[in-house]
Amino acid sequence: VEFIRACTWITMSGAVCWWYFFKEDAEKYEKFPLLSSCKRVLRYHLGSAAFGALIIAICQLIRYMLATLDYYTKDVLQENNRIFELVLKCSQCAMWCLQKTIEFVSYFGFVYIALNGTSFCASCKETFKFLLTPKNAMQTAVNKVVEKLIILIIAWTTPTFTSLICYAWLSGNDEYTADNNPLYPCIIVWVGSFALAGAIATVFECTIDTIFLCSFRDAAMFNGKYMSVEMKEGFGISSINEKEMEKMGLSAVQTSADYKKHREDADKKQA
């Protein structure tokens, strides 16, 4: 399951990365970017997906082993040995935290695999470099909190509203309610809608994370060349175009630091 999830994540990230950087490039336009990304994953990134999924699966296995040990020792050993109970509970908590941390780094790493075409270990190294920057870490935390809130709203409101609509429609049908209870089909609708909403939320999460990392790469390497005007304003990057730069005596820049330097030189010339 984790392997399929990893392959799916890299595939979606690859399609989003291609759209972000080449959405206005007619020569590199692809009619089916998701299919092309899937081909790249099958050809180049299956090993990285398998290795990342293996690490997550090992963490899950250890947690299941601790849960099993907790279940079978609850009535005998733990009642007579509080230290053992405390150590077991702390171990379960620590493994839960470790698994969530590894999943967080791994799925950001999967995005870097699609973005850079590097291996899993190299991509996780890039993730650590990105997160160790205080500014990036703060923006990542804010992004993930807002993202999780939106996903929570999608995952619970969608099945609830669909089941309520189903109940209202069925309860208003006298022929149906004469022989059937509308509650049971509503439960089925809720379960199906919850599964569908979960899939939509996964796509949403992957897309947001990928655009998030692509925007930082764009700001660092291309001075926001591929960003919208609103996103440039959010990053504090000037939306000045190349023609205006030439009139001001500026050359094309690759980083925001270069832009500031060239802008200062141009101001001196005008003065």
Side-chain angles (χ1 to χ4, degrees):
V1 176
E2 287 297 331
F3 174 70
I4 296 174
R5 183 178 172 86
C7 290
T8 304
W9 199 274
I10 299 173
T11 300
M12 291 188 294
S13 295
V16 175
C17 288
W18 193 272
W19 166 83
Y20 183 93
F21 289 104
F22 302 116
K23 56 181 176 291
E24 297 181 357
D25 192 336
E27 295 181 358
K28 296 185 178 181
Y29 172 79
E30 290 188 353
K31 192 174 182 179
F32 302 104
L34 193 63
L35 182 60
S36 300
S37 180
C38 182
K39 291 179 181 178
R40 289 193 294 271
V41 171
L42 293 176
R43 184 174 182 181
Y44 300 110
H45 304 311
L46 284 180
S48 297
F51 186 63
L54 176 63
I55 294 176
I56 297 174
I58 290 173
C59 292
Q60 291 175 343
L61 177 62
I62 295 174
R63 283 191 62 202
Y64 292 148
M65 292 172 63
L66 290 173
T68 303
L69 182 63
D70 181 32
Y71 177 80
Y72 284 106
T73 59
K74 185 178 298 183
D75 298 330
V76 181
L77 187 58
Q78 293 186 35
E79 289 185 357
N80 300 325
N81 192 338
R82 293 301 179 185
I83 296 178
F84 176 79
E85 180 182 8
L86 179 62
V87 171
L88 188 57
K89 298 298 184 183
C90 291
S91 299
Q92 287 180 294
C93 180
M95 280 306 304
W96 181 86
C97 294
L98 179 62
Q99 179 185 335
K100 293 302 178 182
T101 303
I102 290 176
E103 286 179 351
F104 178 82
V105 174
S106 296
Y107 281 98
F108 262 53
F110 291 151
V111 176
Y112 273 111
I113 290 172
L115 182 60
N116 299 331
T118 52
S119 64
F120 177 77
C121 294
S123 299
C124 289
K125 183 179 178 181
E126 288 292 324
T127 302
F128 276 112
K129 287 182 180 179
F130 178 80
L131 295 176
L132 288 177
T133 305
K135 183 180 179 181
N136 294 348
M138 292 176 61
Q139 290 180 332
T140 302
V142 172
N143 179 71
K144 295 303 289 186
V145 169
V146 175
E147 180 183 285
K148 292 299 182 182
L149 288 175
I150 295 175
I151 289 174
L152 184 65
I153 293 172
I154 294 173
W156 288 100
T157 57
T158 302
T160 301
F161 279 122
T162 53
S163 59
L164 288 175
I165 292 172
C166 177
Y167 183 82
W169 181 64
L170 293 177
S171 60
N173 190 335
D174 295 333
E175 294 182 0
Y176 181 85
T177 55
D179 300 321
N180 301 283
N181 188 343
L183 182 62
Y184 298 112
C186 289
I187 294 175
I188 297 175
V189 169
W190 193 93
V191 173
S193 300
F194 184 79
L196 181 61
I200 295 172
T202 300
V203 175
F204 174 80
E205 183 179 6
C206 178
T207 303
I208 293 300
D209 287 345
T210 304
I211 294 176
F212 180 72
L213 293 178
C214 285
S215 62
F216 275 91
R217 173 60 59 85
D218 186 12
M221 297 184 66
F222 307 107
N223 195 43
K225 176 182 177 182
Y226 303 97
M227 293 183 184
S228 63
V229 176
E230 292 80 6
M231 188 175 287
K232 285 182 180 180
E233 292 177 354
F235 274 84
I237 299 173
S238 175
S239 59
I240 185 172
N241 56 39
E242 294 182 1
K243 292 183 178 179
E244 291 176 344
M245 289 171 63
E246 291 177 359
K247 292 179 181 178
M248 297 171 60
L250 296 172
S251 58
V253 296
Q254 294 298 317
T255 65
S256 57
D258 293 334
Y259 173 76
K260 292 178 181 178
K261 183 178 181 301
H262 285 295
R263 186 62 183 264
E264 290 174 358
D265 294 339
D267 290 340
K268 290 179 182 177
K269 289 181 180 179
Q270 290 182 351

